Structure formats: structure tokens, C-alpha cells
């Protein structure tokens, strides 16, 4: 098929590459000319395990351009542009602009919105351009995006036009995944409800972690393990830490609350999820202060900068929030990250040994390589905020969600 992908960020680039890998010709459109130039030169600006390999093999079937007219003749255009929140509310201008541009370039192309949008968006835009628009929300996880696109747990397609919905379904047939066809509004809400629910699981286990820290013998990881053995609960998203960050959960939970509020509905659980999440970095700071005392002049090494492992995405990273708070309290920061090697305002070391002899090492992201390290034995204090360090190998490490009595 000839397919167009609009917006070449984490979702669009992965979608376009995987679809090219399945033999489709993909016109890849982004308004950011610098990104287009980079892609033409084979330079991927996102870190996503496995992406470079598929990209290299299939670049020949991909056209990179900022010129919408080149999508003419595409059977489907997938909209993958940002939907940020501004003052807590969703900004739909990128989605609107891209849908209008696709419509001007080729009115025959089926439009499928992958971006996360509030219920009613596809119907509103359908009315504006006098043409049905379908919803095909994206559920991929950064760091696991290729596998999630090749083999998603479900495909949700919303719309009014059965023929167009079938066409979208055909594109994803290779996945063999179950397909749920429904209204635009259901599809749009399934995405928000899913993200809000997962965020709630994280905030929930973080509150249990707080409790574990004052109960002798308690460890949140084991509590979560035991909970997760019940399939009604499930083991995923029950990892205690410094809270959720990234480009989705923070903005999507806020957008859902604001959307519901406009409709007169008070989303109390989602609001609490956001509140609990906001308190996590302060909690982490308290832990660090308990270990090293007054932070003024103290040297702190932060391990992990991105919002989670296996990505270079820094959006809403709790690690960066932590660094800013520590700096404000007078600490001197040095950071290490497996993939981020440069960042304005942060001294980043290339090798972990360069963090030897510091007052405290803080593990702020769950990269596998942080499970064990000789650094933990040589450091004065080590705090694991992501429950990643193997405490059997490093019993000297203080971990979030583990009882720590008085010394
Ligand atoms: N990142 C994720 O893990 C993830 C997962 C599921 C869903 N989503 C949703 O998918 C959408 C995209 O997310 P992302 O993380 O890929 O965003 P991103 O910010 O990484 O990329 C979006 C791209 O769209 C481009 N763009 C903006 N306006 C455009 C326009 N009018 N025409 C063409 N290109 C335009 C930007 O230049 C940018 O390159 C969002 O709604 C997000 O909530 C993201």
C-alpha cells in the first residue's frame, strides 16, 4: 500500500518504519525541516531499541518530506502529531492543522488519528472537513515500541465509515492482534482511560511504598510481586519509584481531568493519581537528605536522565525534576546515562567511574545496567529510587519502598 505518516516523533517514526518493513511505500511528513534533513541522511534522532536496524533495511521505501502534496495517492494517512497540554488542557491545533493539510493534499485518503485526543475530536474534525475521519489510537511503549507495533495486544479502530475502518484494519492485519471496532468517541476514550488507569497503578504502588518504608520487614517489590500474581491485578506498572513522567501519562491524566471538568464530571481518582505523583520527587529529596544531611555543597551522582529506561526521551523526566530540586538546595550534580551524553546545564560523565568518591549516588532510572555496579560498593551512600538495584548483591543500598529503621 501507499501510506502517509504525518508527524515523525516517537510514534510516527516507529509506525512509518514498521510499515515500510512490511513492504508498504511510506511518505513520511513532518513540518520540522531539520528532522527531515536528518532522516534523509539516515540520522535517527530518537533512541528506540531495534529501530535503526529496520530503518536501515527499509529506508528505500520511505520518502521524507515536509511537502504535504507528496502524499497524493496515499490510501491512508496516519496522524501522529503532538497533543500537548497547555494550562492543563489539550492543545488540538497540531492535529487540526495536519488533518486540514492532508485534506487539501488528497481528499480521497483515509485519515486515521493515532495521536491521543479527547473524545469528540475526530467527529469535530469530520464535521469541519465534511468527511469521515477514523481513530486508531496508539498504545506503544517507548523502549518497546517496535515489538508493540509489530505485535500489539489490541488494535482499536473508531469511526463511522465501515469501508475506511476495514482499510485501516487491513494495514495492521500482519500483527494478528485482536481488533476492536467501535465509535470514534469510544476509541478516543479507551486511550485516555487506559493511560489514566496505568498511571493510577503507579501512584497506588507508590503510596504502598510510602507505607512499606515505615513497616519493619516490608519491601514494596515483594508486595507488588504478590499482588501481581493475581491475574485480576496483573504485575505490570506496579513498580514503585519517583513517579511517572514522559510525554504521555502526565499530559494525558491532566487532559482527561480538564475534559471531564468541562463536562461537569469530577475525576477524583485521576486527580489523586496526579497529586500523589507530584509528591514523589519531594519524597526522594527527603530520602537523600536523611542519608547525606544538608545538601549544600554535597556532590550527588544521578544515574539515568530519561523518563525511563531504553529511551532518550527527556520529556517530563522525574530525573531532571530531581536534579533541579537538588541544585536549588545547593547540591553539586554529576550525571550518567547510557544514551544521553550531552544536556545543557548538567555535567554528564562518560564512564560511571567518574562518579567515584561522591557523597551520594542516586539511581533515578531503571536501566538494566544499574542493577549492579562496583560504584555502589565504593560510594559513601547509594539511594535506589527505582527499585532496580539488586539488594542481595548490594545490601548497603537504600531503596525506595523498603523499611529503613533508625541507624
Ligand atoms: N510517545 C509515546 O510513547 C506515545 C505513545 C502513544 C501515543 N502517543 C501520542 O502520539 C502523539 C505523538 O506523540 P510523539 O511522542 O510521537 O510526539 P513527538 O512530539 O515525538 O512527535 C510529533 C512530531 O509531529 C511533528 N508535527 C507537529 N505538527 C505537525 C504538522 N502539522 N504536520 C506534520 N508534522 C507535525 C513534530 O515536528 C514532531 O516531529 C501524541 O498525541 C501522543 O500523546 C505517544
Amino acid at each position: 500500500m501507499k501510506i502517509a505518516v504525518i508527524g515523525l516523533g516517537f510514534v510516527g517514526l516507529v509506525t512509518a518504519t514498521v510499515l515500510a518493513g512490511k513492504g508498504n511505500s511510506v511518505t513520511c511528513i513532518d513540518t520540522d525541516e531539520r528532522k527531515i534533513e536528518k532522516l534523509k541522511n539516515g540520522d535517527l534522532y530518537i533512541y528506540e531499541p531495534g529501530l535503526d536496524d529496520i530503518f536501515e533495511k527499509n529506508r528505500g521505501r520511505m520518502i521524507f518530506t515536509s511537502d504535504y502534496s507528496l502524499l497524493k495517492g496515499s490510501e491512508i494517512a496516519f496522524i501522529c502529531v503532538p497533543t500537548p497540554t497547555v494550562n492543563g488542557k489539550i492543545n488540538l491545533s497540531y492535529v487540526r492543522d495536519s488533518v486540514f493539510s492532508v485534506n487539501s493534499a488528497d481528499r480521497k485518503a483515509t485519515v486515521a488519528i493515532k495521536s491521543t485526543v479527547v473524545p469528540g475530536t475526530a467527529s469535530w474534525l469530520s464535521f469541519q472537513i465534511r468527511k469521515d475521519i477514523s481513530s486508531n489510537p496508539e498504545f506503544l511503549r517507548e523502549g518497546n515500541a517496535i515489538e508493540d507495533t509489530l505485535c500489539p495486544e489490541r488494535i482499536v479502530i473508531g469511526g463511522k465509515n465501515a469501508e475506511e475502518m476495514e482499510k485501516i484494519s487491513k494495514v495492521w492485519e500482519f500483527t494478528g492482534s485482536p481488533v476492536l471496532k467501535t465509535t470514534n468517541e469510544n476509541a478516543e476514550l479507551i486511550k485516555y482511560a487506559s493511560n489514566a488507569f496505568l498511571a493510577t497503578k503507579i501512584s497506588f504502588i507508590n503510596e504502598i511504598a510510602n507505607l512499606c518504608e515505615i513497616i519493619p520487614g516490608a519491601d514494596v517489590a515483594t508486595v507488588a510481586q504478590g499482588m501481581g500474581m493475581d491475574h485480576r491485578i496483573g504485575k505490570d506498572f506496579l513498580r514503585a519509584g519517583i513517579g511517572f513522567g514522559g510525554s504521555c501519562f502526565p499530559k494525558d491524566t491532566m487532559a482527561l481531568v480538564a475534559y471531564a471538568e468541562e463536562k461537569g464530571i469530577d475525576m477524583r481518582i485521576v486527580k489523586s493519581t496526579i497529586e500523589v505523583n507530584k509528591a514523589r520527587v519531594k519524597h526522594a529529596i527527603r530520602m537523600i537528605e536523611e542519608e547525606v544531611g544538608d545538601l549544600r555543597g554535597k556532590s550527588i551522582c544521578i544515574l539515568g536522565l530519561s523518563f525511563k529506561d531504553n529511551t532518550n526521551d527527556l520529556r517530563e523526566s522525574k530525573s531532571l525534576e530531581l536534579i533541579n530540586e537538588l541544585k536549588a538546595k545547593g547540591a553539586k550534580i554529576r550525571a550518567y546515562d547510557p544514551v544521553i551524553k550531552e544536556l545543557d546545564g548538567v555535567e554528564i560523565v562518560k564512564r560511571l567511574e567518574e562518579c567515584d568518591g561522591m557523597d551520594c549516588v542516586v539511581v533515578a532510572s531503571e536501566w538494566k545496567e544499574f542493577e549492579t555496579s562496583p560504584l555502589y560498593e565504593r560510594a559513601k551512600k547509594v539511594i535506589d529510587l527505582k527499585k532496580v538495584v539488586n539488594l542481595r548483591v548490594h545490601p548497603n543500598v537504600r531503596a525506595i519502598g523498603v523499611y529503613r529503621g533508625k541507624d
Side-chain angles (χ1 to χ4, degrees), residues 13 31 103 109 153 156 172:
L13 202 45
T31 41
N103 192 48
E153 286 190 279
V156 175
W172 300 116

Side-chain angles (χ1 to χ4, degrees), residues 5-13 29-32 35 45-46 65 68 79-84 90 93-99 101 114-117 137-142 145 191-192 195 247-248 251-252 307 313 315:
V5 173
I6 319 297
L8 305 172
F10 282 84
V11 170
L13 202 45
I29 300 182
D30 201 291
T31 41
D32 186 337
K35 285 189 175 173
Y45 36 79
I46 64 172
T65 181
Y68 271 87
I79 305 292
C80 308
V81 299
T83 46
I90 190 167
S93 64
Y94 301 96
V95 174
R96 184 200 54 215
D97 291 354
S98 56
V99 166
S101 302
K114 279 209 152 294
S115 301
T116 304
V117 294
E138 181 55 63
F139 298 96
L140 65 75
R141 296 160 293 175
E142 285 178 24
K191 174 64 191 176
Y192 271 108
N195 272 5
S247 66
C248 293
K251 82 169 171 62
D252 292 346
F307 85 94
D313 196 345
R315 290 178 285 186

